[in-house]
């Protein structure tokens, strides 16, 4: 593997540094014969999409070759680490590819029959099976398990929780006993008290949060990945639900209050991370749009940048830019803190110590 040399302003340190890359890891000491691949500009630790679905397309599960193409799209846009929040496709072969972003898999969504998008989740006929299913997915995934916390219940015509509080407590405990963290898809408010009470580690979307829930999340350090660019689809979800006017009205209300809700979570100090929900109705490669959306609800440019880079990497257990760390780096010509749009045009992408863009 060719040794590399990079020079630029390293963020978040905000000072000019020289870095060398040998055998896929970062060195702060000169490496003889290193090839300079970036000189001048700004260097970030590899950006992170903390909520996506590799292996899911608009019509459901896709072939592995399409999953590869999705990962390539993200990589070429500068995303070098992805937390896959549920996929029916076994993407472990992608983890063996040196040219694809690192993937942290949450296994498969856990839901109940007719209570999630067809073909994506493992459906449990008996909700009492949840703790066992969580234990199974914890073993299969990479330290995360994904629950469907709420979805439309056609018998009531609105969003409703899928699991009892008691079952959730046992399920989250089963994951924690195995060293895994638990996250959940939640649009509305009703499922949130049970999930938070069970000790869940992260909430996806979170458009139903109120001030008491936000305060609890901030105090406990429960993360939020709001997927704001997917929340923009709520009006279309409502428009399609012609048989369920209560649900349609609820989704419309959640959409109208979403920016204020997520903004209050940001202000309260909830750990918020950037995730696109790519797969299905959201195209891959849109991490920058989510960073801009987070900035739009009140995050400073630097905090929004951190939510998609150094803070997100630390949250997921990955190193940033330091001696001996994996060489996942992206270089930009100008300071993205001054203009987040700069993130759309990476000048140099280094993944696992190799130049890939």
């Amino acid at each position: 593997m060719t040794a590399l040399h990079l020079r630029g302003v390293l963020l978040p340190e905000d000072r000019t540094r020289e870095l060398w890359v040998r055998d896929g890891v970062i060195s702060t000491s000169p490496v003889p014969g290193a090839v300079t691949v970036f000189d001048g500009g700004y260097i970030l630790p590899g950006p992170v999409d903390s909520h996506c679905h590799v292996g899911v397309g608009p019509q459901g599960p896709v072939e592995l070759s399409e999953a590869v193409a999705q990962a390539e799209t993200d990589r070429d846009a500068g995303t070098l680490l992805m937390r896959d929040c549920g996929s029916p496709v076994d993407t472990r072969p992608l983890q063996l590819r040196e040219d694809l972003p690192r993937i942290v898999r949450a296994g498969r969504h856990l839901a109940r029959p007719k209570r999630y998008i067809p073909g994506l989740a493992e459906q449990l006929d008996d909700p009492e099976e949840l703790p066992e299913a969580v234990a199974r997915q914890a073993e299969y995934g990479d330290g995360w398990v994904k629950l469907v916390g709420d979805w439309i219940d056609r018998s009531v015509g609105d969003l409703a929780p899928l699991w009892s509080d008691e079952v959730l407590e046992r399920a989250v405990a089963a994951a924690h006993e195995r060293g895994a963290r638990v996250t959940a898809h939640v649009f509305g408010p009703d499922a949130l008290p049970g999930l938070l009470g069970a000790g869940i580690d992260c909430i996806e979307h979170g458009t139903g949060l109120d001030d008491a829930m936000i305060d609890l999340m901030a105090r406990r350090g429960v993360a939020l990945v709001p997927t704001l660019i997917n929340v923009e689809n709520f009006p279309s979800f409502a428009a399609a639900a012609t048989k369920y006017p209560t649900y349609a009205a609820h989704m419309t209300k959640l959409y109208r209050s979403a920016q204020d809700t997520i903004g209050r979570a940001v202000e309260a100090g909830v750990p918020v991370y950037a995730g696109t929900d790519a797969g299905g109705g959201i195209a891959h490669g849109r991490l920058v749009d989510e960073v801009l959306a987070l900035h739009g609800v009140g995050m400073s440019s630097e905090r929004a940048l951190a939510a998609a880079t150094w803070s997100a990497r630390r949250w997921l257990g990955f190193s940033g830019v330091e001696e001996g760390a994996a060489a996942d780096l992206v270089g930009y010509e100008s300071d993205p803190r001054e203009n987040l749009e700069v993130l759309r045009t990476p000048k140099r992408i280094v993944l696992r110590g190799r130049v890939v863009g």
Side-chain angles (χ1 to χ4, degrees):
M1 183 185 297
T2 302
L4 308 178
H5 169 246
L6 303 90
R7 182 190 294 110
V9 178
L10 181 61
L11 298 180
E13 288 186 20
D14 200 21
R15 66 189 181 99
T16 300
R17 291 277 301 275
E18 289 191 81
L19 302 173
W20 288 264
V21 177
R22 179 168 53 189
D23 298 329
V25 300
I26 294 168
S27 171
T28 55
S29 300
V31 175
V35 176
T36 299
V37 295
F38 185 79
D39 192 356
Y42 290 76
I43 301 172
L44 284 174
V48 183
D49 188 340
S50 289
H51 181 138
C52 66
H53 302 280
V54 180
V56 177
Q59 307 306 315
V62 301
E63 297 295 327
L64 199 60
S65 59
E66 177 60 24
V68 169
Q70 293 172 344
E72 289 174 336
T73 296
D74 284 309
R75 177 203 65 200
D76 293 346
T79 298
L80 301 186
L81 173 62
M82 300 183 288
R83 184 181 62 137
D84 188 324
C85 278
S87 176
V89 177
D90 184 354
T91 55
R92 285 177 291 185
L94 275 64
Q95 295 177 309
L96 303 177
R97 294 269 302 259
E98 295 291 316
D99 61 328
L100 296 180
R102 300 177 194 274
I103 302 175
V104 177
R105 299 162 37 259
R108 194 168 183 180
H109 305 74
L110 295 173
R112 294 174 61 187
K114 299 181 179 180
R115 296 295 303 278
Y116 195 56
I117 300 168
L120 299 190
E122 178 182 350
Q123 299 184 3
L124 307 180
D125 293 322
D126 182 353
E128 290 292 322
E129 299 173 2
L130 183 64
E132 180 181 350
V134 163
R136 184 168 58 250
Q137 292 298 329
E139 297 294 337
Y140 170 61
D142 300 321
W144 282 92
V145 178
K146 171 72 173 293
L147 309 181
V148 178
D150 70 0
W151 197 254
I152 185 171
D153 182 339
R154 289 165 176 79
S155 68
V156 299
D158 198 3
L159 293 168
L162 275 70
W163 320 101
S164 71
D165 293 357
E166 188 274 332
V167 165
L168 285 171
E169 288 179 7
R170 290 191 284 119
V172 172
H176 289 172
E177 288 167 4
R178 291 161 177 81
R181 290 183 278 183
V182 184
T183 192
H185 159 106
V186 199
F187 283 158
D190 294 346
L192 285 163
L195 291 162
L196 293 172
I200 200 163
D201 303 283
C202 182
I203 296 294
E204 312 297 322
H205 317 303
T207 44
L209 289 165
D210 64 21
D211 286 340
M213 298 171 190
I214 288 171
D215 179 66
L216 180 62
M217 291 178 68
R219 286 188 285 110
R220 291 185 177 176
V222 179
L224 172 64
V225 184
T227 67
L228 288 166
I229 62 173
N230 189 28
V231 172
E232 290 299 316
N233 287 324
F234 280 19
S236 64
F237 298 163
T242 55
K243 295 182 180 179
Y244 304 101
T246 302
Y247 166 80
H250 195 177
M251 293 300 288
T252 300
K253 180 181 178 181
L254 290 170
Y255 172 70
R256 289 173 177 167
S257 62
Q259 289 211 339
D260 177 68
T261 298
I262 305 308
R264 285 186 286 111
V266 168
E267 185 177 0
V270 173
V272 176
Y273 301 102
T276 63
D277 211 355
I282 301 291
H284 284 262
R286 293 191 58 193
L287 181 60
V288 180
D289 292 331
E290 186 66 19
V291 173
L292 290 166
L294 289 173
H295 182 48
V297 299
M299 274 193 171
S300 67
S301 292
E302 184 157 352
R303 187 174 171 189
L305 190 61
T309 53
W310 58 84
S311 293
R313 294 183 72 86
R314 183 167 57 247
W315 177 56
L316 293 177
F318 286 77
S319 55
V321 182
E322 57 201 51
E323 182 75 29
D328 296 342
L329 307 164
V330 181
Y332 301 89
E333 289 188 343
S334 55
D335 189 346
R337 296 170 301 177
E338 298 298 324
N339 180 4
L340 291 169
E341 290 283 353
V342 167
L343 297 171
R344 297 193 188 280
T345 53
K347 183 178 180 181
R348 179 65 68 224
I349 302 172
V350 176
L351 174 62
R352 296 184 176 89
R354 293 179 169 86
V355 174
V356 296

